[in-house]
Amino acid sequence: MSTAFFINSNRMKKGIFFLGLFCICYSISAQDIIRFYGNKTKKVATNSFFIELGGNSAYYSFNYDKLFYISKSFKMSYRIGASLNTFSIPKLYEDNWHLSPRIPLEINFLFGKRQHHLETSFGYCPYFYANNLPPGHSISYRLGYRYQIAREGLFIRAGALLIVDDSGNLFPWGGIGIGKSFKYFNLFK
């Protein structure tokens, strides 16, 4: 009994940690980011919506990405997404297919001066099961490429991932995403 409580409390601590981290990132990004080009200033397209195939939610996800820190050659963003995957456990249930909602979360670090970026990220993806199975989670590390220009337009990312599931299994995976960047959007107002 105490072991199960310990495992659940660790999951709870990880979830609270990532939720707090996203709240801090959002509060940092509450102001419009202005990029300086010599004596000219431009507002930067800090928001993106994209669809990712693969990635840290397994098969696909719909995502929102927000740049919250921009310097000349380094940027940071956070990402939150949603996915509804199916899974099969034939030994436990007669009906083999069940739905598994997933919420991919990531903190991204972008290196590059213009629209081409080396992207690294750390992610956390809680997922939930039907039929009273306990929820699970995975932790991921991404190394890849991101194309995102300062003005509104095309958003592309592709990367290799290392994912650790809640059982401690490590496996390689990949993801490719395409979407659109834009300037003004406030998710919480």
Side-chain angles (χ1 to χ4, degrees):
M1 185 79 158
S2 62
T3 306
F5 177 76
F6 178 72
I7 291 170
N8 289 337
S9 71
N10 279 341
R11 286 183 183 163
M12 180 85 87
K13 287 177 188 176
K14 287 177 186 175
I16 290 171
F17 170 76
F18 276 98
L19 180 62
L21 190 60
F22 276 99
C23 289
I24 289 168
C25 293
Y26 182 75
S27 67
I28 290 171
S29 68
Q31 302 295 322
D32 285 333
I33 296 176
I34 298 176
R35 183 123 186 221
F36 294 93
Y37 296 96
N39 9 354
K40 298 179 183 176
T41 61
K42 282 186 181 178
K43 288 202 174 187
V44 176
T46 57
N47 304 285
S48 300
F49 277 120
F50 67 97
I51 297 171
E52 183 174 49
L53 299 177
N56 58 345
S57 84
Y59 304 115
Y60 73 94
S61 60
F62 297 96
N63 304 278
Y64 170 72
D65 187 274
K66 171 78 172 173
L67 288 170
F68 65 90
Y69 177 81
I70 297 177
S71 70
K72 190 170 184 175
S73 60
F74 177 72
K75 300 171 185 74
M76 290 177 67
S77 73
Y78 63 84
R79 168 245 188 142
I80 184 167
S83 177
L84 190 60
N85 294 333
T86 57
F87 69 99
S88 173
I89 308 176
K91 292 181 182 177
L92 294 178
Y93 303 105
E94 290 178 16
D95 180 18
N96 288 341
W97 296 100
H98 302 279
L99 294 177
S100 173
R102 296 167 185 247
I103 305 168
L105 308 169
E106 273 186 331
I107 297 294
N108 305 301
F109 307 95
L110 309 172
F111 302 92
K113 291 186 178 181
R114 298 196 186 263
Q115 66 266 24
H116 302 284
H117 303 93
L118 172 68
E119 178 179 34
T120 64
S121 67
F122 295 99
Y124 176 76
C125 185
Y127 44 90
F128 309 93
Y129 294 116
N131 298 333
N132 299 323
L133 290 173
H137 68 274
S138 63
I139 296 172
S140 62
Y141 172 73
R142 178 188 306 260
L143 179 62
Y145 168 78
R146 183 190 286 202
Y147 176 83
Q148 183 174 7
I149 54 179
R151 62 184 187 279
E152 295 180 325
L154 184 64
F155 173 97
I156 298 174
R157 76 189 300 214
L161 288 89
L162 285 176
I163 297 178
V164 180
D165 66 11
D166 52 0
S167 301
N169 300 319
L170 174 71
F171 59 96
W173 195 242
I176 184 164
I178 187 165
K180 180 175 168 105
S181 295
F182 51 96
K183 293 180 184 174
Y184 302 106
F185 177 75
N186 195 336
L187 187 61
F188 300 106
K189 282 188 181 178

